[in-house]
Amino acid sequence: MQQVVIIGASHGGAEAAIALRTQGWEGKILLVGDEPTLPYQRPPLSKGYFHQAVSDQQLLIKKPTLYEKAKVEVMLGESVTAIDKANKSISLASGASISFDYLIIATGARARKLSIPGSDLSCINYLRTLADADKIISQVNAQSHLLVVGAGYIGLEIAASASKLGAKVTVLESFPRVLSRVTNEQMSEFYQNLHAQHGVDIKLNSGVTEFRRSGERYVAVLPDGEELTFDSAVIGIGVIPNVELAELAGLECENGIVVDNKTITSEPGIFAIGDVSNHPNPFYQRQIRLESVPNAMEQAKVAAATICGKEKTHDAFPWFWSDQFDVKLQTAGLSQGYDSTVIRGDIAAKKFALFYLKEGKVIAVDAINSPKDFMKAKMLIPTGISIPESKLADTSSDWFE
Amino acid sequence: MAVVKYIDTNDNVTEVEMEAGETVMSLAVNNMVDGIVGECGGAQACATCHCYLDESLSKYFSPRSEMEEAMLEAAPERKESSRLSCQLELNDDLPDIEVRLPASQY
């Protein structure tokens, strides 16, 4: 019997396993993951799960019984050590070798590590897995001081959630503004104000040069020599795609595993999906790598359909969301390369949309508590829309009419 | 045991036994029902679990929140009876529930 092996049991891997069955795959399906738990949703780890609105049972992407129903064999707590593309097999850390007819690599990404004196202390955390989240949560309470290094989405979401639990929170960011990689100055300022209103102390143009123990607590040394006493820290300075297996196997890699619009790697029969894949985007007309759950799910369906001999290409438009305090951000598209921006709505009322344009064309939108603008943008931007800036800004009528 | 009937645009019905603690969205996802995607896992961020719930059944569920209302407002194939199925929580006291699914989620 033919077998599809999936390496990586998270959003992409779980979706691919089930999609293979629903698309009609009759052979075996093996899902291998190195964590001890069934695939779970990662986005709530910094949000609902962190501030205890979501339980660990609710985190599961699919219920345990579904894998049985779909006849998916799940191998947990097992690491893959090598891919042999010539012999179409993988090697496991436990020593076994497993052959495949098709292979889907869904190994995701890992947190980028900080390497400074004291960065290996037990109070220094990264957030990627459920185990990471449980460890951080156990260190955060109303009496504790949490230090967050890096003001990206993960860092800011953790800051908001910890603040909700009553903890004192300080965020250190090396750039002059938060979210500098993904938003414009106005949006950065909006988030800086939002956090300040909730008592989160954000230090810009800052960072940390050393951590050390100080009795029961810890001290962080800032670049200007200031010393901050804290109880635990979370570092959120980006991720690195887990390409090592693919690289060793000789698959083409560049900022991820390079795939085509069917998620096929440089080796026919081997697919790569999710955060680890560097794939073509038809709208932006370049290769991109996304750190995104919807993208992983979409690519999983494309890989499954392709393996089942069906015609399906990956052309989904990128989108993201972030929940912090009472603010829901929904982003459609990638803003890199914009040459002008337009605000629609009321920043002070925390209800507005920020449009990013390039040569008169809308290329992305950040919608703050404005789901309608987000939904319309997600549908319309991929079709190529040029809308006068005055119309985008005018809230007396719909911009998309 | 009560069931949820998922009805697609061609009137094909998929019947799934209800489970308390699930939502109409998660029950579909866990039983391989086509037509409910649930990309965001219930965070009211994507509207890919859009369904139609008959007025007569709406009393069994909490009303739309402001966020759900706003998401639905811009969803494809919006109707009076539109709901996000991730917000329809199931419990042991419910009768059989029927939802229809929009064509755009297939």
Side-chain angles (χ1 to χ4, degrees):
Chain A
M1 194 187 269
Q2 286 205 313
Q3 169 156 267
V4 180
V5 172
I6 304 166
I7 309 176
S10 189
H11 288 273
E15 186 66 28
I18 303 302
L20 276 164
R21 203 54 92 202
T22 53
Q23 296 281 342
W25 176 256
E26 289 175 349
K28 292 203 260 183
I29 302 169
L30 172 66
L31 179 62
V32 188
D34 59 4
E35 290 182 61
T37 33
L38 279 172
Y40 56 87
Q41 305 189 52
R42 294 191 198 276
L45 296 182
S46 53
K47 312 188 219 357
Y49 183 72
F50 198 112
H51 56 76
Q52 286 145 33
V54 174
S55 72
D56 50 1
Q57 279 308 302
Q58 287 170 312
L59 276 189
L60 290 180
I61 294 173
K62 321 269 184 196
K63 288 187 86 170
T65 48
L66 177 56
Y67 300 98
E68 286 163 36
K69 274 186 229 168
K71 296 197 181 67
V72 172
E73 187 189 342
V74 186
M75 204 181 262
L76 298 173
E78 183 68 80
S79 301
V80 176
T81 53
I83 299 167
D84 181 341
K85 64 178 182 186
N87 290 312
K88 292 198 154 192
S89 70
I90 60 165
S91 307
L92 301 176
S94 58
S97 165
I98 294 170
S99 60
F100 62 80
D101 296 279
Y102 297 96
L103 178 69
I104 300 176
I105 304 173
T107 45
R110 60 182 179 275
R112 185 186 296 278
K113 295 279 165 74
L114 191 65
S115 182
I116 58 169
S119 56
D120 53 354
L121 286 166
S122 65
C123 65
I124 308 298
N125 301 288
Y126 298 85
L127 178 53
R128 185 72 190 176
T129 67
L130 183 57
D132 294 338
D134 287 336
K135 179 170 171 246
I136 297 166
I137 293 163
S138 75
Q139 296 174 354
V140 171
N141 57 56
Q143 284 75 46
S144 68
H145 183 188
L146 177 71
L147 190 65
V148 175
V149 179
Y153 285 126
I154 283 278
L156 292 183
E157 286 179 356
I158 291 168
S161 296
S163 165
K164 235 176 191 166
L165 293 175
K168 181 181 170 191
V169 183
T170 304
V171 180
L172 305 177
E173 167 59 48
S174 60
F175 280 88
R177 58 188 181 91
V178 304
L179 300 172
S180 59
R181 196 171 60 100
V182 285
T183 63
N184 84 338
E185 291 79 2
Q186 282 163 298
M187 192 58 85
S188 297
E189 197 187 331
F190 170 78
Y191 272 102
Q192 285 156 205
N193 292 338
L194 176 70
H195 280 263
Q197 282 161 18
H198 287 86
V200 174
D201 184 15
I202 299 182
K203 292 183 188 296
L204 303 169
N205 298 307
S206 183
V208 57
T209 58
E210 182 188 347
F211 295 114
R212 60 169 188 265
R213 190 182 274 281
S214 168
E216 294 289 287
R217 306 184 73 195
Y218 300 89
V219 164
V221 182
L222 277 43
D224 61 3
E226 186 187 344
E227 298 200 346
L228 269 181
T229 303
F230 68 97
D231 299 291
S232 66
V234 185
I235 318 294
I237 53 171
V239 297
I240 298 170
N242 293 321
V243 296
E244 289 75 7
L245 281 175
E247 249 171 12
L248 273 172
L251 302 180
E252 188 189 348
C253 293
E254 197 192 331
N255 180 29
I257 304 170
V258 177
V259 299
D260 65 9
N261 63 1
K262 294 188 180 301
T263 75
I264 302 171
T265 65
S266 56
E267 180 72 20
I270 302 184
F271 299 70
I273 61 173
D275 291 13
V276 78
S277 82
N278 186 328
H279 56 272
N281 180 282
F283 180 73
Y284 297 103
Q285 298 197 327
R286 56 184 158 97
Q287 289 284 127
I288 57 174
R289 191 180 66 75
L290 296 173
E291 290 147 21
S292 151
V293 168
N295 179 66
M297 289 176 68
E298 192 60 36
Q299 285 191 305
K301 289 186 189 122
V302 173
T306 305
I307 289 171
C308 293
K310 297 184 177 172
E311 193 59 36
K312 188 170 169 68
T313 53
H314 175 235
D315 54 7
F317 196 61
W319 72 275
F320 312 88
W321 81 94
S322 175
D323 296 323
Q324 297 169 44
F325 302 110
D326 54 347
V327 168
K328 183 186 269 312
L329 164 72
Q330 290 164 298
T331 292
L334 304 172
S335 60
Q336 282 90 340
Y338 68 88
D339 53 32
S340 74
T341 58
V342 177
I343 295 274
R344 177 189 179 86
D346 186 351
I347 296 181
K350 298 179 190 166
K351 195 173 167 57
F352 65 97
L354 171 63
F355 290 82
Y356 297 87
L357 295 90
K358 186 182 182 183
E359 290 155 11
K361 248 169 87 174
V362 181
I363 57 167
V365 171
D366 287 335
I368 295 291
N369 292 333
S370 302
K372 191 176 171 186
D373 289 330
F374 161 74
M375 289 289 289
K376 287 291 180 189
K378 185 170 161 239
M379 276 184 275
L380 295 175
I381 297 174
T383 67
I385 44 169
S386 298
I387 298 169
E389 297 194 5
S390 56
K391 187 171 181 181
L392 289 175
D394 178 11
T395 52
S396 67
S397 66
D398 285 331
W399 58 269
F400 44 80
E401 290 301 331
Chain B
M1 190 61 162
V3 297
V4 178
K5 293 177 187 169
Y6 299 89
I7 309 171
D8 72 14
T9 40
N10 299 321
D11 291 326
N12 297 318
V13 182
T14 310
E15 234 180 72
V16 182
E17 208 166 277
M18 229 179 247
E19 281 180 61
E22 296 275 326
T23 63
V24 172
M25 181 276 282
S26 64
L27 191 73
V29 167
N30 282 316
N31 288 280
M32 295 183 276
V33 178
D34 263 354
I36 288 192
V37 186
E39 276 187 345
C40 74
Q44 300 187 76
C46 70
T48 60
C49 68
H50 182 188
C51 73
Y52 307 113
L53 179 75
D54 194 82
E55 185 55 40
S56 62
L57 296 170
S58 63
K59 63 181 176 216
Y60 297 112
F61 302 98
S62 40
R64 297 183 193 97
S65 68
E66 205 183 316
M67 183 55 69
E68 184 183 345
E69 189 66 61
M71 287 298 294
L72 286 169
E73 216 181 310
E77 304 170 79
R78 167 76 209 256
K79 291 182 192 168
E80 221 16 64
S81 60
S82 287
R83 292 295 311 251
L84 294 182
S85 60
C86 66
Q87 301 302 305
L88 303 176
E89 289 177 10
L90 302 172
N91 62 58
D92 290 329
D93 305 326
L94 292 176
D96 287 358
I97 297 294
E98 221 177 82
V99 292
R100 289 185 169 267
L101 307 175
S104 57
Q105 277 159 205
Y106 287 85

